[in-house]
Amino acid sequence: ASVAATTHALPNVAAFVLGKKNDAIDASGLDAAVANDIQPIDDVRSTGEYRLHVARALVRQALDLA
């Protein structure tokens, strides 16, 4: 899910989920937090929209929300 030249933290995602149990995490709010943390580009390998979709799915999977 390459969305940037280097890896970096997702501070909005971290702030959104901090102190919440998984069943209390709102998926649309989580998706918005991911979108605030990354700005993937379009290039010959993929579109930014697809990369954002994959990043959201990976965050959900990492939190066992998938």
Side-chain angles (χ1 to χ4, degrees):
S2 179
V3 297
T6 60
T7 58
H8 63 277
L10 303 175
N12 290 300
V13 172
F16 184 77
V17 302
L18 189 65
K20 293 180 182 173
K21 294 185 179 197
N22 283 8
D23 60 351
I25 296 173
D26 172 59
S28 62
L30 181 63
D31 287 348
V34 172
N36 285 327
D37 280 333
I38 63 170
Q39 293 78 39
I41 63 166
D42 294 325
D43 66 14
V44 296
R45 291 170 288 193
S46 184
T47 65
E49 182 179 336
Y50 176 75
R51 290 175 177 177
L52 179 58
H53 169 78
V54 171
R56 287 173 169 159
L58 289 172
V59 169
R60 286 183 183 201
Q61 185 178 25
L63 294 172
D64 202 22
L65 302 176

